Amino acid sequence: MVTLVISGIDQSIGPGDIVGAFINEAGADSDNIGKININQRAKKAEVEVKWELAPKIIEAMDNNQIGGVKVQIAAKNPDDLIDKEIINYYNKFYQLVDLERNEEIDRHKLEIKYLSARARQAKGRALLNLRGKDNGNTFGHRPLVKFKSKYQGEKLAETQITPGDLVMISLNKPLNKNNPTGTVIEKTAYSITVAFESSPPNFIYNRGVRLDLFVNDTSFQRMFSALEKIKHPANEIEKSKRDILLNRKKPEFKSEFDLEIENFNHSQKNAIKNSLQAKKLYLIQGPPGTGKTLTAVEIIQQAVKNGDKVLATADSNTAVDNLLELLAANNLKVIRIGHPIRVNKKLREHTLDEIVLEHQDYLKAEKLRDQVSDLINKQEAYIYPSGKYRRGLSDQEIKNYAEKDLEKHVRGISPEVIEEMASWIELQEKIDKYFKKIESLENKAVEELITAADVICTTNITAGAEILENQQFDLSIIDEATQATQPAALIPYLKAKKTILIGDQQQLPPTVVNQEAAKNGLKISLFEKLIKTYQNDFSSLLKIQYRMHRKIMGFSSIYFYNNYLKAADSVAKNTLSDLGFQLENKSCFPDKSLKAEYPMVFLDTKEMKAEERSFAGSNSYDNPVEAEIVLDLLDRALKSSLKEEEIAVIAAYKDQVDFINQHNKFKNVEIDTVDAFQGREKEMIIFSAVRSNQDNNIGFLRDLRRLNVALTRAKRKMIFVGDSSTICKYNVYEKLLKYIKKSGFYYKL
């Protein structure tokens, strides 16, 4: 039942009048009307009615009459009128995003509150004893401040803080809600430079300033805004896309059309054609190495040829830059929106911040800024009308007194001071007019550039920026869609008439920090939700991969892709020998493992004392024995003509990555977690599984998508180091071991 509130009733109106009006005017049945409570003093009544009848009653009775009295009627809670399926989706994801937001904020705040400043600095999440210095302006006139140690010539402490991170600046009170935040744009051994959106407070130029890594709340607010559009769509596009999301309305195809595409395989051509033919929605599943991004770029090119305005997004800046680079190479009018420091240096010429500098209206605004600067300098010669000088006088009163050529004091203020304050105010009024004109010119320049662009490239979150608020697109294409949470992907999804999502639900899901949020659905991407509903009719699978030797690919194809995934002829038989790799044919395990004829290798530690370790207070693990094996393999591979840049080591756990890095002497060999290496590739990959225990506990290796990512990073050689007695208690790992024994090389250490 929904409670309706009737306002404007008088004492003559009783329950019978209300029921009669609802029956006669709105066609209600008395069985659909519940409790009626009348408050004569407030001239209001509350009436319970069935949900499906409530909108009809409001439409018929609002500003109509009951018992000859004009009344107003509305739902007590407007959300009660929304379909339960819609409100349940909204409530669920609002709560999940709020959990994640609070987790992120609490982690930083709790650490700031309970850790000493030096302990947080030791963790790499704070820098202490700094002093800020004005460093001019950067992109879009953002003020720059360079922070150095207050002790001259002292290096900064080692830190996790890197360019692109959001940081909070404080002096003595690190949890003060008014502390400014900014974006790191440069870091050296001796300084860290931060860009602010507006002029920062003066305290940052004092000695003893503290800088903390902090959470970016803008991302969460934009997700909340996208969810509001699910509940209250502002236009037909948002309503239609919402209904498709919730399977209240089916997507459709346009009529068949001919499309000539060269240099793409059959599955790619099929995906491109179907995507362009779809009216509202299409999904493309792209397993590793199948050319997802190239396919996305071709779709965008074809859409632009058809006159479409395109929004191209991805969850990470790196993925957006990959799209941008390919689109720019194809001579499309493309603009990258987002903080330039988070954009690859070689691509910054395509950012809005760079392009706008050449626009005629922006150049006019710059000339006005110079004039404003002169006026501000002139202001310094006059007294600023602060409280102690103006003594309650308004700006207009000060100007009026100044015009009277006073000889006496006014409220204890001398005529000279009044004249100076009036001069300051008049200059400020001119300055305000200039800034209004500057803002208008800059907004006009930006609007013209965005309107003229064929493609706007941005992250999913930045697609919700104010600069794009009133922009609508014919097509939004979301790359790496399975790495984005639903609320994040909804931002670009709701901004276009049609959306194409490209991803792979068999690879790793979005990163979610809060365990309750993850458990309750925040890790289920928009791609994964939609493909469960529309896989049969509105999705395509890319089936040819151009990365791996066929035997490296084989297990993932069988287990994760129903054996549909095939290796292109150009890579199917590629081995290390093609790179001039040579061994001395020694009988030691590294040489046997590195033989080119074995693209897949399993080094089994089950008969070694190779137990995992976990330190107090850590949820991560390392395995020193596996680390030693990995380092031996690296040493031997690099002595046999492989280059450091051709090899990567990936591990299931961050502590193992840290341990190997501490003992690694090869600075150009990348060592990282499986999660961080998703989307990357190397000629040779060494994977450390880490887990080895009596309980057969493999932790988040149970998420088989992590296994799929680990197995599909290598082009020519994949070496798996692990304890089969622990991990192979799980069916899929047992099958993997059997596969490698049959198709590759198995060695028991």
Side-chain angles (χ1 to χ4, degrees):
M1 302 288 275
V2 175
T3 300
L4 302 183
V5 177
I6 305 172
S7 303
I9 65 171
D10 65 19
Q11 294 181 356
S12 68
I13 294 174
D17 299 304
I18 293 171
V19 172
F22 283 10
I23 292 172
N24 295 326
E25 299 292 331
D29 189 298
S30 60
D31 292 340
N32 295 330
I33 302 171
K35 292 180 182 177
I36 299 176
N37 292 314
I38 297 176
N39 186 335
Q40 297 286 6
R41 182 176 294 178
K43 296 185 177 181
K44 287 185 178 181
E46 292 189 359
V47 185
E48 290 183 352
V49 299
K50 283 198 172 177
W51 176 82
E52 58 270 22
L53 192 63
K56 188 177 178 182
I57 291 175
I58 292 172
E59 185 179 0
M61 297 303 304
D62 189 31
N63 288 316
N64 202 338
Q65 291 187 351
I66 297 178
V69 178
K70 187 176 180 181
V71 297
Q72 292 75 46
I73 185 166
K76 187 174 184 180
N77 178 4
D79 284 357
D80 287 344
L81 299 176
I82 300 172
D83 190 298
K84 284 185 170 50
E85 185 181 22
I86 295 169
I87 206 69
N88 288 344
Y89 182 92
Y90 169 85
N91 287 338
K92 173 183 175 180
F93 280 97
Y94 194 99
Q95 289 164 14
L96 296 181
V97 172
D98 201 42
L99 282 171
E100 183 73 357
R101 174 180 180 268
N102 289 329
E103 178 85 13
E104 291 268 13
I105 292 171
D106 289 348
R107 283 190 175 201
H108 285 286
K109 284 187 174 179
L110 285 172
E111 200 171 87
I112 291 169
K113 184 175 181 179
Y114 292 110
L115 278 185
S116 69
R118 294 201 174 279
R120 186 159 161 87
Q121 179 171 263
K123 283 180 171 286
R125 294 194 275 275
L127 289 168
L128 309 176
N129 298 317
L130 303 177
R131 184 178 186 181
K133 182 179 179 182
D134 187 351
N135 205 42
N137 295 297
T138 186
F139 325 102
H141 296 283
R142 296 180 179 95
L144 281 180
V145 178
K146 179 177 281 190
F147 294 92
K148 293 182 177 180
S149 171
K150 70 177 185 180
Y151 305 110
Q152 191 169 0
E154 182 177 87
K155 282 188 175 182
L156 298 180
E158 290 293 321
T159 183
Q160 294 179 19
I161 300 169
T162 58
D165 284 339
L166 190 79
V167 291
M168 180 176 65
I169 320 299
S170 63
L171 182 68
N172 303 324
K173 296 179 179 179
L175 290 175
N176 188 315
K177 65 179 181 179
N178 295 319
N179 286 336
T181 57
T183 302
V184 176
I185 71 160
E186 185 180 62
K187 187 183 84 171
T188 70
Y190 292 91
S191 69
I192 189 161
T193 304
V194 178
F196 295 88
E197 291 301 316
S198 58
S199 295
N202 288 331
F203 79 75
I204 68 172
Y205 303 112
N206 294 349
R207 290 178 180 271
V209 167
R210 170 173 171 169
L211 187 150
D212 280 276
L213 187 64
F214 204 59
V215 64
N216 188 349
D217 196 44
T218 301
S219 299
F220 294 106
Q221 296 307 321
R222 288 176 182 167
M223 286 188 268
F224 288 139
S225 294
L227 289 168
E228 286 294 335
K229 292 175 182 178
I230 295 296
K231 189 166 68 168
H232 299 296
N235 51 55
E236 188 55 38
I237 290 174
E238 292 175 0
K239 182 178 183 299
S240 174
K241 296 293 282 298
R242 179 206 57 196
D243 289 346
I244 288 171
L245 167 73
L246 299 177
N247 198 20
R248 296 155 60 89
K249 176 181 177 181
K250 295 290 184 186
E252 297 174 346
F253 282 109
K254 302 174 190 172
S255 302
E256 284 277 349
F257 61 92
D258 293 328
L259 183 66
E260 294 296 325
I261 312 172
E262 296 180 356
N263 304 320
F264 287 89
N265 64 51
H266 178 73
S267 65
Q268 289 172 329
K269 288 179 180 178
N270 184 60
I272 293 166
K273 185 175 180 181
N274 288 345
S275 295
L276 295 169
Q277 195 179 341
K279 281 187 177 181
K280 299 286 186 182
L281 177 74
Y282 203 75
L283 304 147
I284 299 174
Q285 184 184 357
T290 53
K292 292 189 291 291
T293 304
L294 286 171
T295 302
V297 168
E298 181 62 26
I299 293 168
I300 292 168
Q301 282 188 286
Q302 294 291 338
V304 170
K305 280 183 187 177
N306 293 333
D308 286 348
K309 179 88 172 177
V310 181
L311 174 64
T313 73
D315 193 59
S316 70
N317 281 290
T318 301
V320 176
D321 285 349
N322 290 339
L323 277 170
L324 173 63
E325 187 171 16
L326 292 169
L327 290 166
N330 283 283
N331 297 317
L332 292 174
K333 290 181 185 175
V334 57
I335 291 180
R336 172 74 155 92
I337 292 178
H339 202 303
I341 195 58
R342 298 190 179 104
V343 178
N344 188 309
K345 281 185 179 180
K346 67 181 181 180
L347 297 172
R348 284 184 191 165
E349 65 183 284
H350 301 291
T351 62
L352 179 63
D353 292 75
E354 288 288 329
I355 295 171
V356 77
L357 298 177
E358 303 298 322
H359 193 281
Q360 59 181 3
D361 286 324
Y362 190 86
L363 294 173
K364 288 178 186 175
E366 286 297 281
K367 288 181 181 178
L368 291 180
R369 282 187 183 276
D370 292 337
Q371 294 175 35
V372 168
S373 182
D374 292 339
L375 292 176
I376 291 171
N377 290 334
K378 283 182 183 178
Q379 261 188 324
E380 292 178 4
Y382 301 106
I383 292 173
Y384 169 66
S386 63
K388 75 172 184 175
Y389 285 114
R390 68 165 66 229
R391 296 183 186 178
L393 292 176
S394 68
D395 285 355
Q396 191 58 50
E397 286 173 323
I398 291 171
K399 286 163 55 181
N400 291 342
Y401 280 124
E403 289 174 1
K404 291 179 179 178
D405 197 19
L406 295 172
E407 295 182 2
K408 296 181 180 180
H409 286 49
V410 176
R411 297 189 190 180
I413 311 168
S414 72
E416 292 78 17
V417 170
I418 284 179
E419 285 182 11
E420 286 207 23
M421 288 195 297
S423 297
W424 191 98
I425 290 166
E426 286 169 0
L427 283 171
Q428 186 61 43
E429 288 171 349
K430 288 181 182 179
I431 289 167
D432 290 342
K433 286 180 182 178
Y434 270 109
F435 274 124
K436 198 169 184 179
K437 180 65 174 173
I438 288 167
E439 184 180 7
S440 174
L441 285 167
E442 289 179 345
N443 288 341
K444 186 179 173 214
V446 167
E447 183 74 23
E448 285 183 8
L449 287 169
I450 291 174
T451 301
D454 297 323
V455 186
I456 300 297
C457 288
T458 180
T459 60
N460 296 328
I461 293 296
T462 305
E466 186 178 353
I467 203 170
L468 292 174
E469 187 174 350
N470 297 318
Q471 294 287 329
Q472 286 188 345
F473 297 84
D474 300 297
L475 170 66
S476 61
I477 188 160
I478 307 174
D479 198 10
E480 304 290 2
T482 44
Q483 293 181 36
T485 63
Q486 285 184 52
L490 284 176
I491 299 170
Y493 173 82
L494 292 169
K495 289 192 76 68
K497 296 174 186 174
K498 178 169 85 174
T499 299
I500 298 166
L501 296 99
I502 304 178
D504 182 12
Q505 71 275 25
Q506 298 297 347
Q507 296 187 63
L508 285 166
T511 300
V512 176
V513 178
N514 182 274
Q515 293 304 305
E516 184 181 347
K519 180 181 176 183
N520 287 300
L522 196 56
K523 285 179 81 76
I524 299 172
S525 68
L526 184 60
F527 184 99
E528 189 175 354
K529 172 182 171 57
L530 291 171
I531 206 163
K532 286 177 180 175
T533 307
Y534 301 118
Q535 182 162 20
N536 293 335
D537 299 317
F538 293 90
S539 77
S540 292
L541 173 69
L542 303 182
K543 297 177 181 178
I544 308 295
Q545 64 84 17
Y546 297 86
R547 174 185 296 164
M548 299 162 273
H549 188 286
R550 60 185 178 82
K551 290 185 177 178
I552 298 176
M553 172 207 73
F555 182 78
S556 285
S557 179
I558 294 166
Y559 190 82
F560 295 101
Y561 303 107
N562 297 318
N563 211 20
Y564 284 125
L565 189 60
K566 307 298 178 188
D569 292 341
S570 58
V571 300
K573 297 181 180 179
N574 285 354
T575 66
L576 292 179
S577 59
D578 303 324
L579 303 176
F581 182 77
Q582 293 180 339
L583 286 166
E584 297 176 7
N585 284 324
K586 292 183 178 178
S587 59
C588 59
F589 83 86
D591 280 40
K592 288 182 178 181
S593 306
L594 291 166
K595 284 184 179 180
E597 59 261 40
Y598 302 126
M600 284 282 276
V601 175
F602 194 114
L603 296 179
D604 197 345
T605 64
K606 71 176 182 178
E607 293 188 4
M608 301 179 74
K609 290 184 177 180
E611 285 204 352
E612 65 195 42
R613 302 186 309 182
S614 183
F615 295 100
S618 173
N619 293 321
S620 191
Y621 295 83
D622 70 10
N623 190 315
V625 173
E626 283 190 20
E628 186 177 347
I629 294 166
V630 167
L631 292 167
D632 285 345
L633 288 166
L634 272 181
D635 186 64
R636 193 73 192 97
L638 293 168
K639 285 178 180 176
S640 303
S641 76
L642 273 183
K643 298 174 184 175
E644 292 183 22
E645 294 82 0
E646 294 173 328
I647 307 174
V649 175
I650 56 178
Y653 288 88
K654 182 68 168 61
D655 279 6
Q656 181 74 336
V657 169
D658 294 341
F659 187 88
I660 296 171
N661 267 318
Q662 288 167 17
H663 297 84
N664 173 46
K665 60 184 179 181
F666 307 110
K667 66 177 183 179
N668 292 319
V669 173
E670 286 191 67
I671 302 168
D672 217 328
T673 60
V674 176
D675 299 50
F677 216 76
Q678 179 159 292
R680 306 283 310 286
E681 60 182 33
K682 290 285 183 178
E683 302 293 344
M684 181 171 116
I685 292 286
I686 305 170
F687 171 62
S688 172
V690 181
R691 301 309 298 263
S692 178
N693 55 71
Q694 300 297 317
D695 301 322
N696 301 322
N697 183 0
I698 63 170
F700 57 49
L701 283 175
R702 289 192 301 270
D703 188 337
L704 299 178
R705 293 171 292 190
R706 187 165 280 107
L707 172 65
N708 187 32
V709 172
L711 293 177
T712 54
R713 302 305 96 199
K715 295 181 179 180
R716 302 169 192 268
K717 169 75 76 173
M718 167 68 198
I719 301 177
F720 190 116
V721 182
D723 175 3
S724 67
S725 67
T726 296
I727 61 177
C728 290
K729 296 295 182 183
Y730 291 80
N731 181 47
V732 176
Y733 288 92
E734 184 183 10
K735 289 179 178 178
L736 172 64
L737 184 59
K738 289 178 180 177
Y739 174 84
I740 295 176
K741 284 181 176 179
K742 181 180 178 181
S743 302
F745 176 69
Y746 170 80
Y747 189 89
K748 188 162 55 180
L749 295 165

